[in-house]
Amino acid sequence: MTNKLAKTNILGAPSWKFLLLSATLFFSYAIPAYADSHEEAPAKEPIAVEAQPGEAPPYKDYEEFAKSDGFEIFTINNLWILIAAFLVFTMHLGFATLESGLCQKKNTVNILFKNVFIISIGIITYAFYGFNAMYPGDMIVDGVGDWNGYFAMGSWFGVDNNDVTMVTDAYNPGYPWWTDFLFQAMFAATGATIVSGAVAERVKLGSFMIFATLFVGLAYPTAGSWKWGTGWLDQMGFYDFAGSSIVHAFGGFGALACVLVLGPRKGKYTENGLRPIPASNFPLATIGVFLLFLGWFGFNGGSVLSADPRTVAFVCVTTALAAASGALSSMVCSYLACKKPDLSMALNGILAGLVGITAGADSVGIADSIIIGLIAGAIVVYSILFFDKLKIDDPVGAISVHGVCGIWGTLAVGIFSEEYTVGTQLIGTLSYSVFAFVFAYVVFSILKMTIGVRVTEEEEERGLDITEHGQEAYGS
Amino acid sequence: MTNKLAKTNILGAPSWKFLLLSATLFFSYAIPAYADSHEEAPAKEPIAVEAQPGEAPPYKDYEEFAKSDGFEIFTINNLWILIAAFLVFTMHLGFATLESGLCQKKNTVNILFKNVFIISIGIITYAFYGFNAMYPGDMIVDGVGDWNGYFAMGSWFGVDNNDVTMVTDAYNPGYPWWTDFLFQAMFAATGATIVSGAVAERVKLGSFMIFATLFVGLAYPTAGSWKWGTGWLDQMGFYDFAGSSIVHAFGGFGALACVLVLGPRKGKYTENGLRPIPASNFPLATIGVFLLFLGWFGFNGGSVLSADPRTVAFVCVTTALAAASGALSSMVCSYLACKKPDLSMALNGILAGLVGITAGADSVGIADSIIIGLIAGAIVVYSILFFDKLKIDDPVGAISVHGVCGIWGTLAVGIFSEEYTVGTQLIGTLSYSVFAFVFAYVVFSILKMTIGVRVTEEEEERGLDITEHGQEAYGS
Amino acid sequence: MTNKLAKTNILGAPSWKFLLLSATLFFSYAIPAYADSHEEAPAKEPIAVEAQPGEAPPYKDYEEFAKSDGFEIFTINNLWILIAAFLVFTMHLGFATLESGLCQKKNTVNILFKNVFIISIGIITYAFYGFNAMYPGDMIVDGVGDWNGYFAMGSWFGVDNNDVTMVTDAYNPGYPWWTDFLFQAMFAATGATIVSGAVAERVKLGSFMIFATLFVGLAYPTAGSWKWGTGWLDQMGFYDFAGSSIVHAFGGFGALACVLVLGPRKGKYTENGLRPIPASNFPLATIGVFLLFLGWFGFNGGSVLSADPRTVAFVCVTTALAAASGALSSMVCSYLACKKPDLSMALNGILAGLVGITAGADSVGIADSIIIGLIAGAIVVYSILFFDKLKIDDPVGAISVHGVCGIWGTLAVGIFSEEYTVGTQLIGTLSYSVFAFVFAYVVFSILKMTIGVRVTEEEEERGLDITEHGQEAYGS
């Protein structure tokens, strides 16, 4: 019975949808391959650590480079950015456990499967397309770039092994290209993971996999290039240190669009008002939030893009303070709002503080970070209650945590830092939010009209684990 | 029904208790603020890496410092201490999962909530008060200090951003002040977390939150300053490398006091003898212990306070050997005592070995570390059985693991290292144990007499998750 | 009732078996101690960082060494290898959670206990015997070694603290001996852990503990010395970067032997065909695989044996790409084979990719790593189905993941790298597989004939947690 259901219901119905998925993957390779042979490839000549644009790399070979004065710092930078990449990787485990802990037992396998898929497809698409699309790199060489600042075609990420210093003409002169790729690839997958939680418990697996592939493989690097690839928002003076907007608001408002297309879970909003759907496993959710907190030290600390002791230390402290004050603030606010000390709100408070500090972790003051966290922790509580009032069903609170607090964090840079203005910050954060929302809305709507995005009522009732996977999360 | 209970019973009964908590927080800021304006602020002029006391910092600005000879090592030190801070942070997840795994399902949300609170309030109070209270710093400058060696008033931790090398007149010349703060803040919260496990399943949430705030915010930095702030125990020749006494015996004997005030869980000690209350989730508890083992590499390894390869490597090896031998010893002893291979004892054996080696990880021999672990692993088994005989109910064995093995580890330094004497070690470890015990006993007794420290019998029966939080840990 | 069962059935029956275990431990110390006093001890004079064989160490003392030019890099290397050791340690938590997640609830405590034991005994035996047996070290000094290249007697691992640079005549000139030990000790325990999963749910605890002690304490360092200790396979030109064969095929084929001796779980293969035994806890298993993925960055990245930025970054990227492509490939293949998106296969696909890349992570190309992962992800699916057809019951798929993919990964080096030949790679990987198989088969058969290796049918039915440990994994 179980197996029969599993057979007939996966990915909607016919297995050609898996072919569609494969086609998508192929497509993300074919386009750049085509592009590579039809346009001049983006200039990827190595620029050595201290070389000026246009100069030749100053080292004959790697051995000579290894004896140079800057090599120790180069090595330390590399080590730190790699470790930061590992920490950001850990966040994916954090998301997997948080989301599966906050949802119902019967959809746990489905959530875990999606998370395994997202980190995998995220790394692979970033290698085939995303990295070079997000960091076209020419801007730094030419002063004014020969890409338009809005969209650069991606391509296979690999560099020539003969590059002496393994650095590129993109933004990172201080550590190797490969490290750069790994760190950024771990970031890339985060956006789609945020959506994963919001659409959980009723989304059709195959449709989500297609959406996630496009969202992480195409939309994220395009939008990311606007700021981090030195595109139009960067030139306008917009600042987003580690991605309150570029990653979190992007993911959060992509999630909002998907949830609007998808609709709420069956039975959540009834005639008699909201019927809460309790979390299935709070220890799992708590593990998730602690791992996200841990990983955020890499997310923010690694975004310094070097191991510079002053900045990295500062960033880690603002990150920790915002997380801690976010938790305390959420505890108080949710107590005031719900008259009980709510664990899920406390957990979301930590995340809210972290999302809030992400845009300005290096540029606001130490005390400001506490204020940013306190406000984020309050925002997330009322935002979650607000979306529930609107009957927008987000099982894990992702829209509030990542979307709303992502906007707050971006604006906070304009408020607390003298260098940046609230106006530019607003333009930037809205650009990311609106772009992600529109992209997600369009793609998800097309999927809805073609292969469908939502499981049947019966499948939702029985749970996606049995109906999509033929597996139960908790056996005997 | 559930919600009604939750509403009426949180924090005892009326919500003014939350106000009390807020007042406590405010208090921890107001006092130092007052103090700051009424006494000469503790001297916080930066002392550069190689500057002698009294000398001016040798670097014009950070850029000059960054070009100096010591900057690479400064950067490596910073990286290691930051990573050590992340590892100690991981221990808080370890405590959360260990404690919730060893207790009953019905109290899981409560335990997790406490752990989220402790790490948050620990970081915040340490920023507002604790760090400067624990490391007054003058001693190093003046030879004889202008604080009394027993108690220094704390204050806001921040340093002037203009400090060229970001180091202070406290004990850490080798890496930035902020890194120092983060590492020590992660330590600070540990003491209160140890108590959390021992009082689990019957303590009133609000009372515990007040207690934890005072314990981590006030008692810990005061006692910590005696040794690590170069106070009276330091001058006496007492040695506690990473805190067998300062953190673990401190937490363990604070826990003992609270448990004595609180009494055992209902139904544990019956007329017919001890009725074991089994663990609810052994995988969770095992995750906890492995994470604690992992985190301890940062706890001990980071306590080297530099990345010096010889010492850090040595410390990590003694740490691992003591943990491994502690586990093996506990397996054998618990098998001899209980005639079965007991998982919880094996897990406690790892922790016992770790607590045991903490005081002397850098100063005992490699083979000594195995002996210390073997003895700690034996002690913890018989100590747990002993406290159960005394009807002192400690659901997670925290008093034995941290308290008793903390004393053992501190004495072991006197036994195995030629530099330190058993007598001085005994004075030191008793000072920490007695201080923590008395402080906890007094505070917890006052709380008992005022707002109460224990939930009602009915609440204990139903579980704190429903009655205090209106949430269940494991849903459907 | 429970307790009575627990008392009478542990370790077979009588407690003299625990004595046997103790004797084994003692034995592993006595032999080397005897050996030490009857043969010339292996030359362990320190060789300084840049000293040539035969030269005296160039530094007077550690302080002088610390001022030398190479000390920064030495410090960075040390930090990275230590962190890599922590990451490999994390893999043991990964194995513990993966195995307990994939097995039945009733055997969870047993699995966790075994994992706690293995990491502990692995570290201890490696200190007493394994490290010096695996890295005899003379080869490098003398050109041709004075050990035979097949077997070197181990001994207590400690070095003279007076060694100025703490490095040895073994393969590691770039970081301290103790760090080297810790990193390699974490590796050592992995082999036995792999077996642990395959024999789960029916193996007798005491017998497994004896087997694991010999497998990790004796067989692993002996076989490891053939390549990493510069033994006969190393001299033949065999290459295995981080242990596709030395660790994984070794563990996987040891597991196969044990499973053949032990037989399948009761009720798995019935007259009516295979009856799947579902996983008890998929979130736990997923945590395990993510932690293994994380830890593998240390497993492979640390095997660079320095923090060289070019190589470490490259290795981490090939590792991540192989894992990601392994997952995607397993998802597709298991979908084609089973017509459903199978989470356990996706998880095994990650591991397959990781095992596959381990032998050549530093020497195949970036694109090759994706191909290796894709093939490994396919292999693991069909291999698991194949072994099930043969009625070889491996609850966690360890034989396929580690054994079969370990061979694939080793051969892949011969295919994708120009330096190494498929022929030599085949000889090497078969040497490890056959040796592990034979060793495990002989030892496990002897144990079967003497104290037995399998619990009774009744015990298997009730579960090992109750019958061996008197504990249940998930309480109330």
Side-chain angles (χ1 to χ4, degrees), chain C residues 220-244:
Chain C
Y220 172 79
T222 299
S225 73
W226 299 346
K227 165 63 193 160
W228 290 344
T230 66
W232 68 278
L233 277 169
D234 188 56
Q235 290 173 48
M236 185 190 276
F238 171 67
Y239 193 68
D240 186 0
F241 172 61
S244 282

Side-chain angles (χ1 to χ4, degrees), chain B residues 235-421:
Chain B
Q235 290 173 48
M236 186 190 274
F238 172 67
Y239 193 67
D240 186 0
F241 172 61
S244 284
S245 287
I246 298 169
V247 177
H248 295 282
F250 179 83
F253 285 93
L256 176 60
C258 293
V259 166
L260 289 177
V261 174
L262 197 57
R265 285 169 293 173
K266 205 183 146 193
K268 173 82 182 277
Y269 306 108
T270 68
E271 288 175 8
N272 307 316
L274 185 149
R275 187 183 65 87
I277 299 177
S280 65
N281 195 327
F282 266 116
L284 205 54
T286 306
I287 288 174
V289 169
F290 271 87
L291 290 180
L292 284 162
F293 193 161
L294 173 67
W296 230 287
F297 287 119
F299 198 89
N300 285 359
S303 292
V304 172
L305 302 178
S306 85
D308 179 63
R310 181 166 63 173
T311 322
V312 176
F314 185 86
V315 162
C316 289
V317 169
T318 54
T319 301
L321 289 173
S325 54
L328 296 176
S329 167
S330 274
M331 285 175 177
V332 172
C333 290
S334 66
Y335 183 74
L336 295 176
C338 316
K339 307 296 170 219
K340 56 169 187 141
D342 189 292
L343 178 57
S344 53
M345 286 298 189
L347 295 174
N348 275 328
I350 288 180
L351 299 182
L354 290 165
V355 170
I357 197 62
T358 293
D362 67 331
S363 51
V364 301
I366 289 278
D368 301 337
S369 70
I370 296 178
I371 299 169
I372 290 172
L374 288 173
I375 294 175
I379 286 174
V380 79
V381 170
Y382 298 108
S383 174
I384 286 175
L385 298 174
F386 172 77
F387 280 111
D388 255 344
K389 283 235 170 91
L390 295 185
K391 303 193 178 174
I392 291 172
D393 181 25
D394 175 3
V396 302
I399 301 167
S400 302
V401 167
H402 300 278
V404 179
C405 291
I407 288 183
W408 158 241
T410 312
L411 296 180
V413 178
I415 298 167
F416 291 101
S417 164
E418 289 179 14
E419 273 185 81
Y420 307 101
T421 66

